[in-house]
Short mmCIF file of all heavy atoms in Angstrom, two decimals:
data_model
loop_
_atom_site.label_atom_id
_atom_site.label_comp_id
_atom_site.label_asym_id
_atom_site.label_seq_id
_atom_site.Cartn_x
_atom_site.Cartn_y
_atom_site.Cartn_z
N GLY A 1428 0.82 -1.23 -0.02
CA GLY A 1428 0.00 0.00 0.04
C GLY A 1428 0.76 1.28 0.00
O GLY A 1428 2.07 1.24 0.16
N HIS A 1429 0.15 2.40 -0.11
CA HIS A 1429 0.78 3.71 -0.20
C HIS A 1429 0.64 4.42 1.19
O HIS A 1429 -0.40 4.48 1.76
CB HIS A 1429 0.08 4.56 -1.26
CG HIS A 1429 0.56 5.96 -1.39
ND1 HIS A 1429 1.83 6.30 -1.71
CD2 HIS A 1429 -0.02 7.19 -1.06
CE1 HIS A 1429 1.94 7.62 -1.65
NE2 HIS A 1429 0.76 8.19 -1.22
N ILE A 1430 1.75 5.12 1.55
CA ILE A 1430 1.73 5.84 2.83
C ILE A 1430 1.67 7.28 2.59
O ILE A 1430 2.54 7.86 1.82
CB ILE A 1430 3.07 5.56 3.63
CG1 ILE A 1430 3.33 4.04 3.81
CG2 ILE A 1430 3.02 6.31 4.96
CD1 ILE A 1430 2.14 3.38 4.59
N PRO A 1431 0.55 7.96 2.97
CA PRO A 1431 0.50 9.47 2.74
C PRO A 1431 1.62 10.25 3.36
O PRO A 1431 2.13 9.89 4.43
CB PRO A 1431 -0.86 9.77 3.51
CG PRO A 1431 -1.58 8.43 3.56
CD PRO A 1431 -0.51 7.39 3.71
N LYS A 1432 1.98 11.24 2.61
CA LYS A 1432 3.22 11.95 3.02
C LYS A 1432 3.03 12.78 4.38
O LYS A 1432 4.00 13.00 5.18
CB LYS A 1432 3.54 13.08 1.92
CG LYS A 1432 4.07 12.44 0.62
CD LYS A 1432 4.35 13.52 -0.45
CE LYS A 1432 4.78 12.90 -1.78
NZ LYS A 1432 5.21 13.84 -2.65
N ASP A 1433 1.78 13.11 4.65
CA ASP A 1433 1.48 13.91 5.81
C ASP A 1433 1.23 13.04 7.02
O ASP A 1433 0.83 13.62 8.17
CB ASP A 1433 0.41 14.91 5.61
CG ASP A 1433 -0.85 14.34 5.05
OD1 ASP A 1433 -0.84 13.11 4.74
OD2 ASP A 1433 -1.91 15.04 5.09
N LEU A 1434 1.19 11.74 6.92
CA LEU A 1434 0.78 10.87 8.10
C LEU A 1434 1.79 11.06 9.32
O LEU A 1434 1.28 11.30 10.47
CB LEU A 1434 0.94 9.41 7.61
CG LEU A 1434 0.70 8.33 8.74
CD1 LEU A 1434 -0.71 8.35 9.11
CD2 LEU A 1434 1.10 6.94 8.19
N ILE A 1435 3.12 11.12 9.06
CA ILE A 1435 4.00 11.16 10.09
C ILE A 1435 3.94 12.53 10.84
O ILE A 1435 3.91 12.66 12.02
CB ILE A 1435 5.52 10.86 9.73
CG1 ILE A 1435 5.55 9.48 9.13
CG2 ILE A 1435 6.44 11.00 11.01
CD1 ILE A 1435 5.15 8.29 10.07
N ASP A 1436 3.79 13.53 10.03
CA ASP A 1436 3.81 14.93 10.44
C ASP A 1436 2.56 15.14 11.39
O ASP A 1436 2.59 15.78 12.45
CB ASP A 1436 3.83 16.04 9.44
CG ASP A 1436 5.25 15.99 8.66
OD1 ASP A 1436 6.20 15.54 9.34
OD2 ASP A 1436 5.33 16.50 7.56
N LYS A 1437 1.53 14.66 10.87
CA LYS A 1437 0.20 14.87 11.64
C LYS A 1437 0.20 13.99 12.95
O LYS A 1437 -0.41 14.44 13.97
CB LYS A 1437 -1.00 14.58 10.70
CG LYS A 1437 -1.27 15.62 9.68
CD LYS A 1437 -2.58 15.42 8.95
CE LYS A 1437 -2.82 16.49 7.93
NZ LYS A 1437 -4.10 16.32 7.24
N GLY A 1438 0.74 12.83 12.86
CA GLY A 1438 0.95 12.00 13.98
C GLY A 1438 1.80 12.78 15.09
O GLY A 1438 1.49 12.57 16.27
N ASN A 1439 2.86 13.27 14.71
CA ASN A 1439 3.76 13.93 15.64
C ASN A 1439 3.11 15.19 16.13
O ASN A 1439 3.26 15.55 17.36
CB ASN A 1439 5.08 14.36 14.97
CG ASN A 1439 6.00 13.16 14.57
OD1 ASN A 1439 5.90 12.13 15.31
ND2 ASN A 1439 6.90 13.40 13.67
N ALA A 1440 2.35 15.72 15.37
CA ALA A 1440 1.60 17.11 15.90
C ALA A 1440 0.62 16.63 17.02
O ALA A 1440 0.45 17.34 17.96
CB ALA A 1440 0.87 17.67 14.70
N ILE A 1441 0.01 15.48 16.84
CA ILE A 1441 -0.99 15.03 17.87
C ILE A 1441 -0.15 14.70 19.24
O ILE A 1441 -0.58 15.01 20.20
CB ILE A 1441 -1.77 13.78 17.33
CG1 ILE A 1441 -2.78 14.20 16.31
CG2 ILE A 1441 -2.48 13.17 18.58
CD1 ILE A 1441 -3.46 13.01 15.65
N ALA A 1442 0.96 14.07 18.97
CA ALA A 1442 1.75 13.69 20.03
C ALA A 1442 2.28 14.87 20.82
O ALA A 1442 2.40 14.93 22.10
CB ALA A 1442 2.98 12.83 19.66
N LEU A 1443 2.68 15.96 20.08
CA LEU A 1443 3.12 17.20 20.68
C LEU A 1443 2.07 17.85 21.62
O LEU A 1443 2.40 18.59 22.49
CB LEU A 1443 3.67 18.15 19.58
CG LEU A 1443 4.98 17.95 19.04
CD1 LEU A 1443 5.28 18.75 17.80
CD2 LEU A 1443 6.05 18.04 20.08
N GLU A 1444 0.87 17.70 21.18
CA GLU A 1444 -0.25 18.21 21.94
C GLU A 1444 -0.71 17.29 23.14
O GLU A 1444 -1.65 17.56 23.77
CB GLU A 1444 -1.46 18.49 21.05
CG GLU A 1444 -1.20 19.50 20.00
CD GLU A 1444 -2.38 19.69 19.03
OE1 GLU A 1444 -3.37 18.99 19.29
OE2 GLU A 1444 -2.30 20.52 18.08
N GLY A 1445 0.06 16.27 23.31
CA GLY A 1445 -0.17 15.32 24.51
C GLY A 1445 -1.20 14.38 24.19
O GLY A 1445 -1.56 13.64 25.13
N GLY A 1446 -1.54 14.12 22.91
CA GLY A 1446 -2.51 13.04 22.50
C GLY A 1446 -1.82 11.88 22.02
O GLY A 1446 -0.50 11.76 21.90
N THR A 1447 -2.58 10.85 21.64
CA THR A 1447 -2.10 9.55 21.12
C THR A 1447 -2.79 9.37 19.76
O THR A 1447 -4.00 9.30 19.64
CB THR A 1447 -2.45 8.34 21.95
OG1 THR A 1447 -1.85 8.54 23.34
CG2 THR A 1447 -1.96 7.18 21.36
N PRO A 1448 -2.00 9.35 18.70
CA PRO A 1448 -2.64 9.03 17.35
C PRO A 1448 -2.85 7.59 17.05
O PRO A 1448 -1.98 6.77 17.24
CB PRO A 1448 -1.50 9.69 16.39
CG PRO A 1448 -0.26 9.52 17.09
CD PRO A 1448 -0.56 9.59 18.57
N LEU A 1449 -4.03 7.28 16.60
CA LEU A 1449 -4.38 5.96 16.15
C LEU A 1449 -4.56 6.00 14.62
O LEU A 1449 -5.51 6.74 14.15
CB LEU A 1449 -5.53 5.38 16.77
CG LEU A 1449 -5.49 4.95 18.23
CD1 LEU A 1449 -6.75 4.36 18.74
CD2 LEU A 1449 -4.19 4.03 18.51
N ALA A 1450 -3.85 5.17 13.77
CA ALA A 1450 -4.03 5.30 12.36
C ALA A 1450 -5.14 4.41 11.99
O ALA A 1450 -5.32 3.32 12.57
CB ALA A 1450 -2.80 4.91 11.63
N VAL A 1451 -5.95 4.70 10.99
CA VAL A 1451 -7.00 3.84 10.39
C VAL A 1451 -6.77 3.55 8.96
O VAL A 1451 -6.55 4.43 8.16
CB VAL A 1451 -8.38 4.73 10.59
CG1 VAL A 1451 -9.56 3.74 10.06
CG2 VAL A 1451 -8.61 5.05 11.92
N ALA A 1452 -6.78 2.20 8.73
CA ALA A 1452 -6.50 1.84 7.28
C ALA A 1452 -7.45 0.69 6.87
O ALA A 1452 -8.00 -0.05 7.68
CB ALA A 1452 -5.02 1.27 7.17
#
């Protein structure tokens, strides 16, 4: 499959805000 370019950046942004990112595929 294909990995979106903004996946890691948006995941890190959530972590920086104190949250936990869960990916949906």
Side-chain angles (χ1 to χ4, degrees):
H1429 173 68
I1430 306 300
K1432 294 181 179 179
D1433 55 351
L1434 175 67
I1435 302 300
D1436 290 341
K1437 289 187 175 181
N1439 289 339
I1441 291 173
L1443 281 172
E1444 293 178 5
T1447 301
L1449 290 185
V1451 178

